[in-house]
């Protein structure tokens, strides 16, 4: 199956105005002026679009033909939540992975209006964390059924599957401190230096999971949530990958 890229990740929000202020004013992300409506607002992180959605959340996988990709997945036993839809600018077909994370086949056929994104503190989205129950089973789904390529430098403990623009890192609740499983995504926002970005956001009222910068041994991180409990983190990898490349 041919997945070109992750077209966007839709973050479910209850109060669009509140979420709009958080992502635009607090985080300082670049708002796309061409894609806003009463129920949908898009922000750009350089390589990945974050959509604030009152329709619910989903990770949108860009494919050349939604109907063809849907037939291929249905032949492998994947069930879809509803009929494929035409929004007036794109085709889509919603489904879920085996652990309940919401996905969508997506193809935009209407042209996108470009805009000049200003310089921002967030440099890009480094990866999207996918919460799963079983890494091996989830790897079979994302690598086998969906056909995403495994990042060869990712470990078995933190397997990563790559689209052209961003990777999906699979991890279990036990790896992240435990707790009851729930299907959810986390977005790793790259910044030049986690500590000062963390302090700026704390000054704006953002609460972090840990009071200090978390050092994994290869990267610095700071975990927090938006007002609708969507998981976010500030991220900066300082160590090279196992093949010697720097991020």
């Amino acid at each position: 199956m041919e997945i070109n890229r992750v077209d966007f990740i839709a973050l479910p929000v209850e109060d669009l105005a509140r979420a709009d202020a958080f992502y635009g004013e607090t985080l300082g992300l670049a708002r796309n002026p061409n894609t806003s409506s009463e129920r949908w607002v898009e922000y750009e992180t350089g390589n990945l679009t974050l959509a604030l959605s009152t329709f619910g959340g989903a990770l949108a996988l860009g494919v050349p033909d939604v109907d063809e990709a849907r037939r291929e997945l249905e032949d492998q036993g994947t069930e879809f939540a509803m009929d494929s839809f035409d929004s007036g600018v794109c085709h889509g077909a919603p489904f879920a992975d085996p652990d309940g994370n919401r996905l969508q086949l997506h193809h935009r056929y209407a042209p996108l209006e470009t805009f000049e994104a200003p310089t921002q503190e967030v440099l890009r989205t480094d990866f999207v964390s996918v919460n799963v129950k079983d890494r091996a089973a989830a790897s079979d789904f994302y690598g086998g059924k969906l056909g995403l390529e495994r990042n060869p430098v990712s470990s078995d403990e933190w397997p990563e599957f790559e689209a052209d623009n961003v990777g999906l890192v699979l991890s279990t609740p036990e790896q992240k401190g435990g707790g009851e499983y729930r299907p959810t995504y986390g977005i790793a926002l790259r910044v030049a230096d986690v500590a000062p970005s963390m302090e700026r956001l704390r000054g704006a009222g953002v609460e972090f999971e840990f009071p200090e910068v978390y050092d994994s041994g290869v990267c610095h991180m700071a975990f927090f949530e938006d007002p609708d409990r969507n998981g976010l983190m500030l991220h900066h990898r300082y160590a090279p990958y196992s093949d010697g490349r720097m991020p």
Side-chain angles (χ1 to χ4, degrees):
M1 186 169 140
E2 184 181 356
I3 295 175
N4 298 325
R5 65 195 310 275
V6 175
D7 282 346
F8 60 83
I9 182 166
L11 303 172
V13 302
E14 293 183 0
D15 185 326
L16 188 57
R18 180 184 65 182
D20 197 8
F22 181 82
Y23 283 85
E25 297 170 17
T26 304
L27 292 185
L29 297 182
R31 190 181 198 270
N32 189 329
N34 304 314
T35 55
S36 298
S37 71
E38 293 181 354
R39 301 191 64 181
W40 184 276
V41 174
E42 291 183 3
Y43 281 90
E44 304 300 333
T45 65
N47 60 319
L48 181 65
T49 298
L50 309 184
L52 311 180
S53 169
T54 60
F55 299 102
L59 187 75
L61 305 171
V63 295
D65 187 302
V66 168
D67 289 337
E68 181 179 330
R70 176 173 181 153
R71 282 193 296 271
E72 187 172 339
L73 285 179
E74 286 179 326
D75 287 344
Q76 298 180 69
T78 299
E79 296 183 1
F80 283 76
M82 56 181 280
D83 292 339
S84 300
F85 64 83
D86 186 335
S87 72
V89 297
C90 65
H91 295 137
F95 65 108
D97 74 6
D99 294 309
N101 293 292
R102 295 178 64 179
L103 302 165
Q104 181 186 132
L105 299 175
H106 180 261
H107 178 77
R108 183 180 178 108
Y109 56 80
L112 271 172
E113 295 181 59
T114 59
F115 77 103
E116 289 272 341
T119 301
Q120 56 186 21
E121 188 175 358
V122 171
L123 304 175
R124 59 172 280 128
T125 296
D126 274 344
F127 59 86
V128 176
S129 172
V130 183
N131 201 27
V132 300
K133 297 177 182 177
D134 183 318
R135 292 191 302 279
S139 293
D140 286 343
F141 180 81
Y142 283 90
K145 280 193 174 181
L146 296 186
L148 293 172
E149 288 192 14
R150 171 79 181 263
N151 183 337
V153 301
S154 66
S155 67
D156 290 338
E157 289 75 23
W158 302 90
E160 179 174 1
F161 291 84
E162 296 185 312
D164 286 348
N165 58 325
V166 72
L168 308 179
V169 176
L170 313 181
S171 59
T172 65
E174 291 76 17
Q175 291 175 276
K176 297 169 291 197
E180 185 178 350
Y181 175 81
R182 67 184 180 101
T184 185
Y185 298 112
I187 300 168
L189 302 172
R190 181 188 296 186
V191 293
D193 191 332
V194 170
S197 294
M198 185 179 184
E199 287 309 305
R200 184 189 71 78
L201 290 178
R202 183 178 280 127
V206 174
E207 296 183 0
F208 289 87
E209 183 176 351
F210 304 114
E212 305 295 334
V213 174
Y214 179 83
D215 190 335
S216 72
V218 297
C219 62
H220 292 144
M221 295 180 280
F223 304 92
F224 63 107
E225 294 181 337
D226 73 7
D228 293 283
R229 294 195 62 208
N230 293 299
L232 301 165
M233 77 173 78
L234 302 175
H235 181 261
H236 179 82
R237 183 176 179 120
Y238 57 80
Y241 297 109
S242 59
D243 60 1
R245 290 182 299 115
M246 287 300 292

